[in-house]
Amino acid sequence: MLTFDTWNDPPSEFHPESDTKGALEVLGWAYGEYGEELVYACSFGIEGLVLLDLISQVKPNADVVFLDTDLHFQETYDVIDQVRERYPSLRILMKTPSLTLEEQARKHGDELWKKDPNLCCQLRKVQPLEEELNGTKAWLSGLRREQSPTRKNVQFVNKDNRFHSVKVCPLIHWTWKEVWRYAHRHDLPYNKLHDQGFPSIGCQPCTRQAINPNDLRSGRWSGQGKLECGLHQDQ
C-alpha cells in the first residue's frame, strides 16, 4: 500500500486564468510527475468527456478506468463506444466488481441499492477502484468545485486518504457553462441523457432527472439522504 511518503509538492501556481483554467498545465505536470502510474477514473459524463479530450492532448495513450457496475444506462455504454472510436489510443479498462449482480442479490438481498445504497456503492464502485489503484501513485478525477457543497474545497492536487494515493483534479475552476462551451466548440461526443435533464449520471436505479436546477447532483440518490458514492470521501 502506498503512503504519502511518495508525495512531491506540486507547483504553487497552475495559472487558473489560462485558456483551460489550469487544466492542461495540471495534466502536463501530473503525467510528467507520475507517468504510467497515473490513472484516470472516468464516469463518461460531460466533464469526463472534456477531461478526456484534454488528456488526449497530453497523453494520447493514457490509462482510463470505467467502474462498470452492470447498472449503468445504455446511453453511457453508447458514449464509451464513441470515445473508443474518436480516441483509439486511449487504454480504456471496464472494471467490474468481484460480485455479479446475481451473487450480490444472493448474499445481500435483491436491489441492494434501495435498502443500503452505501453498501452497494462500496461493493460496486469503491472496492473495484481500490483494486485498480492498488500500487499506483496517483489518479485523475473530473471534480469541479461548482458541482456540490461537498466538493467546494477540492484542490488541483489532493492527498487522498481513501485510496492512499494522490488525487489530481484539473477541472476544479470550470463552470457548467464552460464545460458545455468547450464540448460544443470541439464537437465532443456526450451522453444524450444530458439533453433530457440529467446533468449528473450514475447507475440507472439511483439516477433521476435533477429536481433542483441549482444543484446539478440533485437527481442522484434522490430521497435517500446520500450525496456521494464514496469515491471522494476520505475515510
Side-chain angles (χ1 to χ4, degrees):
M1 179 179 296
L2 285 171
T3 69
F4 294 137
D5 293 339
T6 59
W7 171 274
N8 290 322
D9 289 331
S12 59
E13 180 57 67
F14 277 122
H15 307 295
E17 72 279 1
S18 69
D19 289 343
T20 61
K21 293 195 151 184
L24 277 177
E25 292 91 336
V26 172
L27 289 169
W29 172 82
Y31 279 107
E33 183 73 20
Y34 299 110
E36 299 299 321
E37 295 182 280
L38 179 63
V39 174
Y40 176 29
C42 183
S43 64
F44 289 88
I46 189 60
E47 289 98 345
L49 274 297
V50 168
L51 190 47
L52 281 172
D53 190 73
L54 294 171
I55 289 171
S56 72
Q57 300 173 42
V58 177
K59 178 77 169 172
N61 63 338
D63 289 314
V64 180
V65 59
F66 174 68
L67 301 176
D68 187 0
T69 63
D70 295 315
L71 291 165
H72 289 286
F73 291 91
Q74 182 58 47
E75 288 86 347
T76 301
Y77 295 110
D78 291 343
V79 80
I80 293 174
D81 289 339
Q82 295 174 55
V83 168
R84 290 186 188 276
E85 183 175 349
R86 176 158 177 159
Y87 308 99
S89 296
L90 288 178
R91 298 181 293 198
I92 300 175
L93 170 67
M94 307 288 279
K95 178 66 176 178
T96 56
S98 59
L99 293 178
T100 66
L101 288 175
E102 292 76 16
E103 290 168 338
Q104 178 174 292
R106 287 196 295 270
K107 186 173 183 179
H108 299 285
D110 291 333
E111 298 184 322
L112 181 61
W113 48 87
K114 288 185 177 180
K115 60 184 180 182
D116 194 342
N118 287 327
L119 178 57
C120 190
C121 286
Q122 176 69 23
L123 294 173
R124 308 204 73 76
K125 297 185 78 172
V126 177
Q127 288 182 4
L129 188 57
E130 285 177 345
E131 294 169 4
E132 191 59 29
L133 294 182
N134 183 32
T136 64
K137 290 184 178 180
W139 65 294
L140 288 163
S141 171
L143 294 186
R144 295 183 300 107
R145 290 178 176 178
E146 183 192 59
Q147 286 173 323
S148 70
T150 59
R151 300 177 177 187
K152 65 180 180 180
N153 295 319
V154 68
Q155 303 296 317
F156 277 132
V157 184
N158 310 265
K159 291 184 178 181
D160 189 336
N161 295 309
R162 162 68 72 179
F163 297 110
H164 301 275
S165 184
V166 175
K167 182 165 64 178
V168 182
C169 304
L171 300 181
I172 60 173
H173 295 298
W174 287 51
T175 66
W176 184 240
K177 288 183 178 179
E178 288 168 336
V179 167
W180 277 104
R181 190 178 300 127
Y182 183 96
H184 288 313
R185 184 186 308 130
H186 296 278
D187 195 26
L188 300 185
Y190 66 88
N191 193 317
K192 298 309 177 186
L193 290 174
H194 286 312
D195 294 333
Q196 301 173 34
F198 293 79
S200 179
I201 303 168
C203 294
Q204 187 169 4
C206 302
T207 304
R208 300 289 181 269
Q209 292 169 310
I211 58 176
N212 180 352
N214 297 315
D215 182 356
L216 299 178
R217 293 178 60 80
S218 60
R220 303 291 295 276
W221 305 286
S222 181
Q224 294 181 298
K226 181 176 169 64
L227 299 175
E228 296 281 357
C229 63
L231 298 180
H232 305 292
Q233 292 173 305
D234 280 359
Q235 290 178 315

